[in-house]
Amino acid sequence: MNKFIVSTDCVVFGRDKNNKVNLLLIKRKSDTFDGYWALPGGMVEDFESVDDSAKRELEEETGLSTVFLEQLYTFGDLGRDPRGRVVSVAYYALLNIGDLELKPDTDASDAQWFPLNNLPEKLAFDHDKIITTALNRLRGKINYFPLVFELLPEEFTIEEVREIYSDILNQDLDRRNFSRKLKSTGCLIHLDKKKKVLVGKPPTLYKFDYEECEENGFNITL
Amino acid sequence: MNKFIVSTDCVVFGRDKNNKVNLLLIKRKSDTFDGYWALPGGMVEDFESVDDSAKRELEEETGLSTVFLEQLYTFGDLGRDPRGRVVSVAYYALLNIGDLELKPDTDASDAQWFPLNNLPEKLAFDHDKIITTALNRLRGKINYFPLVFELLPEEFTIEEVREIYSDILNQDLDRRNFSRKLKSTGCLIHLDKKKKVLVGKPPTLYKFDYEECEENGFNITL
DNA sequence: ACAAAAGTGTTAGATCTACACCCATGA
DNA sequence: TCATGGGTGTAGATCTAACACTTTTGT
């Protein structure tokens, strides 16, 4: 009987106050990859499913329990962890950072949000590969699944949605065409409220209509 | 340190002589789920990566070593295997059955191909869930990735491609529109050969142009 | 010459892209 | 009234779906 350690790693995407997408990394304080930035994660325990383990680790890091979390891919190469045979099930999570206070884990000296276009060069283990996989998944899936609303607050403006799409896809999107496409999904609830702004015309606030989406799906191909 | 058994399960899709898509199942001869149909698979060994393990198991079952194989999803719920804590990394494979002779594994009394629309009712473990996941992946991915050519012989006709798409998506596809769309991918090599047929006009044979596809991608949205 | 399946073209409707001006608000 | 950013419409191009007849071959 061959038994392995099974761990989870989580690619956590968070939206900051400037409506930019960031990635959460932990600075390792450990005998392996000391000082390197790494994805949050940890070992799966006996009493929990792999999914629950990822959820637990994420809660311990962020204090949030209701974030979107989805399995990404499993990394099981020999030698991916110098300490021994570790199979890692990777997840990705989406959340709105808000005023979230990070609680660094015990084996980490620091936790930090990095903007997508400014990630550290060298990461621990095969975590760069995991991040690339997560980004590709995200870029593909936002076309047919309402992932970006997991990053936004409950009430948002169309411009905020567009900026998130732009940031993730790393390309400009025409403001008018985007607005039309987003509305044509039929999954927006128009609120009779405007967002308070410092300058310019106050934009309309919307909520995402999860029921409608459940019934008729979501598609916004850019 | 919590150590688990890591296994692989493989959803093998094969095209039969009638150009229909089938799924390979193994009849269990074992103390758990005896007599039930199950996916081929087995434990990951110390000396191999998880990917390699799936490849090895598949070779042992089918005798084929060059089939398309891709990781699908990891199933890690508690109690999914009554014998103990087993985390299973599921894969899916695509192949052209041809004259392939199946070699049943030691803990199986029978291996059999089942047409997609006629799978057994009850399957061992959570294998029905794994198959559903695989079918969903397949149905989504054939739109933007040339998976179906892994099922077909090297030289094929457009009608054969259409029938495979039809079978996987479980819907009729207009013959003329499909032909146009498939050709417009730019990834077909027109051969100066016709397929021998018993009745009717002999259809043109094509090969898939993997180089072209590599460069410009593949997209056929039905 | 007949039966069977392959091959092909057109048209109307829908969708997509590119693009510029007016509107509402706060200072 | 000005500066700022939000909101909206249209025309031309492209793509899509629906649809039927002609061609090639074997018997």
Side-chain angles (χ1 to χ4, degrees):
Chain A
M1 291 300 237
N2 302 287
K3 295 204 169 189
F4 303 144
I5 294 176
V6 176
S7 71
T8 60
D9 285 305
C10 195
V11 184
V12 186
F13 296 101
R15 169 188 164 275
D16 66 23
K17 293 152 206 149
N18 302 320
N19 207 33
K20 290 289 177 191
V21 180
N22 292 256
L23 208 146
L24 181 64
L25 294 173
I26 311 278
K27 196 173 214 166
R28 285 179 65 81
K29 189 165 184 170
S30 166
D31 45 355
T32 51
F33 289 103
D34 187 46
Y36 279 67
W37 293 97
L39 295 171
M43 277 175 22
V44 179
E45 304 285 346
D46 277 333
F47 56 81
E48 60 189 358
S49 72
V50 178
D51 284 356
D52 286 343
S53 178
K55 204 182 297 178
R56 177 178 56 77
E57 294 284 350
L58 185 57
E59 276 179 40
E60 287 174 12
E61 294 293 342
T62 65
L64 293 174
S65 58
T66 57
V67 303
F68 174 91
L69 183 66
E70 184 177 84
Q71 192 187 303
L72 179 62
Y73 198 79
T74 296
F75 296 83
D77 279 359
L78 293 167
R80 58 174 295 283
D81 190 322
R83 293 166 300 184
R85 187 63 195 268
V86 180
V87 172
S88 174
V89 185
Y91 287 75
Y92 71 107
L94 304 170
L95 56 90
N96 180 19
I97 298 176
D99 316 60
L100 169 66
E101 295 229 345
L102 294 173
K103 312 178 193 170
D105 195 87
T106 48
D107 73 342
S109 63
D110 203 2
Q112 199 177 303
W113 291 102
F114 289 85
L116 281 191
N117 55 16
N118 194 22
L119 300 177
E121 294 260 318
K122 291 275 186 186
L123 295 167
F125 309 105
D126 51 1
H127 288 186
D128 54 338
K129 204 161 97 182
I130 300 181
I131 292 169
T132 303
T133 307
L135 253 178
N136 287 340
R137 168 79 62 91
L138 192 56
R139 284 181 178 148
K141 194 152 180 172
I142 54 176
N143 283 300
Y144 61 90
F145 204 84
L147 291 179
V148 299
F149 306 98
E150 306 292 342
L151 292 163
L152 290 158
E154 196 184 349
E155 303 187 347
F156 51 81
T157 70
I158 289 184
E159 270 302 283
E160 285 168 339
V161 181
R162 185 177 67 95
E163 283 170 21
I164 296 286
Y165 268 91
S166 248
D167 202 19
I168 291 172
L169 297 173
N170 197 26
Q171 64 177 327
D172 283 345
L173 299 169
D174 183 88
R175 203 159 51 85
R176 285 160 291 187
N177 291 337
F178 183 85
S179 169
R180 180 153 7 109
K181 277 186 188 171
L182 184 55
K183 286 176 185 165
S184 78
T185 62
C187 296
L188 289 194
I189 299 167
H190 179 115
L191 303 175
D192 285 329
K193 282 168 130 182
K194 306 283 178 186
K195 180 170 184 176
K196 298 265 183 292
V197 285
L198 295 171
V199 290
K201 179 173 174 176
T204 305
L205 285 164
Y206 292 84
K207 281 171 76 169
F208 189 75
D209 190 340
Y210 284 97
E211 276 189 36
E212 178 66 27
C213 175
E214 196 72 38
E215 278 174 42
N216 303 321
F218 176 84
N219 194 281
I220 179 165
T221 307
L222 312 166
Chain B
M1 290 300 238
N2 302 286
K3 296 204 168 189
F4 303 143
I5 295 176
V6 176
S7 70
T8 59
D9 285 304
C10 194
V11 184
V12 186
F13 295 100
R15 169 188 165 276
D16 65 24
K17 294 151 206 151
N18 303 319
N19 206 34
K20 290 290 177 190
V21 181
N22 292 255
L23 208 145
L24 181 64
L25 295 173
I26 311 279
K27 196 175 214 167
R28 285 180 65 80
K29 189 166 183 168
S30 165
D31 46 353
T32 51
F33 288 104
D34 187 47
Y36 278 66
W37 292 98
L39 295 171
M43 276 174 23
V44 178
E45 304 285 347
D46 278 332
F47 56 81
E48 60 189 358
S49 72
V50 179
D51 284 357
D52 286 344
S53 178
K55 204 182 296 178
R56 177 179 56 76
E57 294 282 351
L58 186 57
E59 277 179 41
E60 288 174 11
E61 294 291 343
T62 65
L64 294 174
S65 60
T66 57
V67 304
F68 174 90
L69 184 66
E70 183 176 85
Q71 192 187 303
L72 179 62
Y73 198 78
T74 296
F75 295 82
D77 280 359
L78 293 168
R80 57 173 297 281
D81 190 321
R83 294 166 300 185
R85 187 64 196 268
V86 180
V87 173
S88 175
V89 185
Y91 287 75
Y92 71 106
L94 304 170
L95 57 89
N96 180 20
I97 299 176
D99 316 61
L100 169 66
E101 295 227 346
L102 295 173
K103 313 179 193 170
D105 196 87
T106 48
D107 73 341
S109 61
D110 203 4
Q112 198 177 302
W113 291 101
F114 289 84
L116 281 190
N117 55 16
N118 194 22
L119 300 177
E121 293 260 316
K122 291 276 185 183
L123 294 166
F125 309 105
D126 50 2
H127 287 186
D128 54 339
K129 203 162 97 182
I130 300 181
I131 291 169
T132 303
T133 307
L135 254 177
N136 287 340
R137 169 80 61 93
L138 191 56
R139 285 183 176 146
K141 195 153 179 170
I142 54 175
N143 284 300
Y144 62 91
F145 203 85
L147 292 178
V148 300
F149 307 98
E150 306 290 342
L151 292 163
L152 290 158
E154 197 183 350
E155 302 186 348
F156 52 81
T157 70
I158 290 184
E159 270 302 283
E160 285 168 340
V161 181
R162 185 177 67 94
E163 282 169 23
I164 297 286
Y165 269 92
S166 248
D167 203 17
I168 291 173
L169 298 173
N170 197 26
Q171 64 177 331
D172 284 345
L173 299 168
D174 182 88
R175 204 157 50 84
R176 284 161 291 186
N177 291 337
F178 182 85
S179 170
R180 177 152 11 103
K181 277 185 187 172
L182 184 55
K183 286 175 183 164
S184 78
T185 61
C187 296
L188 290 194
I189 301 167
H190 179 116
L191 303 176
D192 285 330
K193 281 167 133 182
K194 305 282 176 185
K195 181 171 185 178
K196 297 267 184 291
V197 285
L198 296 170
V199 291
K201 178 173 176 175
T204 305
L205 285 165
Y206 292 83
K207 282 170 76 169
F208 190 75
D209 191 338
Y210 283 97
E211 276 190 35
E212 177 66 26
C213 176
E214 197 72 38
E215 278 174 41
N216 302 320
F218 176 82
N219 194 282
I220 179 167
T221 306
L222 312 168

